[in-house]
Amino acid sequence: MHDNNTPKSESSNYARSRYMRFTVLTLFPEMFSALLIGGIVKRAIERQYVSVEPINIRDFAKDRHHTVDDRPYGGGCGMVMKPEPVAEAIRHAKKRHPEACTLLLTPQGRLFSQMVAQKLAGYAGLILVCGRYEGIDERIREHLVDDELSIGDYVLTGGELAAMVVIDAVTRLIPGTLGSEDSAQEDSFSNGLLEYPQYTRPRSFEGANVPEVLLSGDHSAIRQWRRHASLIRTVLRRPDLLMVQALTAGDIEFMKKLQQDIKTIIGKHSTAS
Ligand code: ADE
């Protein structure tokens, strides 16, 4: 469907450091037309920064009814995806894209994160295998995929939405796909902290004003205010991120000052009561 055969980097005019081919193995290839409705992924496909090619696993079923599922050995409810069509589909995709990394989307997989997205953006291609029903025959996981990914601790009806999440998060890391090169560098998580609050016009909205410093034109003060706002937000919402994140001497100084202010406030209240 949207496989643009020749990436711009190979054909032409402007040098492109990377091009990403997503091949999606699914029983519902139509779901991926959603990526063409609008937004950055649509633009990235149109401008040939990435291609998304859904392949129907059912096309690889050999029997007359194109059967793709069967009852589980050992009993139990639900159906399991048969190994043969999935294996055929994976081999077909690997033959076309031997450089690609093959990933199975499953709630039992490694948790997808910004760091995983960054690592995946370094591949020339990703083959995303979407499970349905109660899962895929175990022998596929064991022998035909490089890794298994989960997008969170909840169970979806299939891997398709998870594959679209991966496509979206990885696409925006491909150089050139975002309006400005540094937008991805300033993301939440890519500097290990949550993003600072953003404001646009009007200056006053329903009685709430934009912080003065952002109107000051003092870029160094703005940078410092944003760093401090990021730190405070991360402490309050995701302190776990700060346990592994390298902090600057300025960050520590700022946090010590906060700690001192909090101690003073608590001290005031405990002597009062
Ligand atoms: N398939 C079903 N649930 C999923 C999840 N949470 N992540 C990835 N693939 C899935």
Side-chain angles (χ1 to χ4, degrees):
M1 168 171 58
H2 352 114
D3 189 47
N4 315 302
N5 295 323
T6 316
K8 271 219 179 107
S9 54
E10 285 166 21
S11 68
S12 75
N13 312 332
Y14 37 104
R16 180 71 57 72
S17 57
R18 276 189 250 148
Y19 175 80
M20 172 64 76
R21 288 186 160 95
F22 296 102
T23 307
V24 191
L25 309 182
T26 169
L27 290 172
F28 296 96
E30 317 78 39
M31 284 179 74
F32 291 83
S33 344
L35 296 171
L36 291 175
I37 292 172
I40 296 215
V41 176
K42 176 183 187 224
R43 196 178 64 187
I45 293 168
E46 285 170 352
R47 296 190 178 169
Q48 300 179 17
Y49 287 98
V50 304
S51 63
V52 181
E53 184 191 13
I55 291 179
N56 197 336
I57 295 171
R58 199 176 290 280
D59 292 345
F60 295 85
K62 292 271 171 21
D63 67 315
R64 204 155 55 92
H65 301 290
H66 299 286
T67 312
V68 289
D69 60 336
D70 206 342
R71 284 165 297 139
Y73 273 124
C77 54
M79 299 292 268
V80 176
M81 280 176 80
K82 286 166 66 60
E84 304 93 322
V86 183
E88 284 287 310
I90 294 177
R91 289 200 176 103
H92 167 83
K94 281 186 174 179
K95 209 184 234 164
R96 291 180 54 181
H97 306 296
E99 74 296 344
C101 175
T102 304
L103 300 163
L104 174 66
L105 284 312
T106 162
Q108 287 106 52
R110 195 152 66 93
L111 202 57
F112 186 59
S113 66
Q114 190 65 21
M115 221 146 69
V116 175
Q118 266 151 5
K119 189 164 162 245
L120 296 180
Y123 286 92
L126 297 179
I127 298 169
L128 302 169
V129 186
C130 305
R132 279 269 153 183
Y133 312 116
E134 294 307 306
I136 289 188
D137 187 287
E138 189 65 16
R139 290 160 293 185
I140 296 293
R141 299 167 183 273
E142 284 170 357
H143 303 298
L144 286 163
V145 303
D146 299 312
D147 205 353
E148 300 176 33
L149 286 185
S150 162
I151 61 158
D153 291 338
Y154 40 80
V155 181
L156 302 167
T157 54
E160 284 77 8
L161 289 173
M164 281 191 250
V165 166
V166 172
I167 291 171
D168 191 291
V170 171
T171 294
R172 62 189 294 291
L173 295 176
I174 305 298
T177 54
L178 297 179
S180 114
E181 266 311 304
D182 32 23
S183 325
Q185 273 153 31
E186 286 180 11
D187 282 342
S188 272
F189 303 116
S190 51
N191 68 2
L193 303 180
L194 299 185
E195 200 172 295
Y196 48 79
Q198 296 276 20
Y199 299 88
T200 186
R201 287 185 292 184
R203 278 170 79 147
S204 182
F205 171 68
E206 299 184 354
N209 295 331
V210 174
E212 278 299 322
V213 63
L214 300 179
L215 313 171
S216 69
D218 180 344
H219 296 296
S220 146
I222 291 172
R223 213 174 311 115
Q224 189 181 58
W225 180 88
R226 286 179 165 166
R227 182 73 188 180
H228 290 171
S230 275
L231 278 169
I232 291 173
R233 186 166 270 190
T234 314
V235 168
L236 293 177
R237 299 187 187 181
R238 293 291 307 276
D240 57 301
L241 296 176
L242 293 172
M243 297 297 176
V244 290
Q245 175 58 30
L247 297 173
T248 65
D251 293 338
I252 302 292
E253 199 183 316
F254 172 67
M255 286 169 74
K256 276 188 179 158
K257 168 90 175 49
L258 272 185
Q259 187 186 33
Q260 197 49 55
D261 289 348
I262 292 168
K263 263 193 187 156
T264 310
I265 294 165
I266 293 171
K268 258 265 178 310
H269 286 274
S270 42
T271 49
S273 60

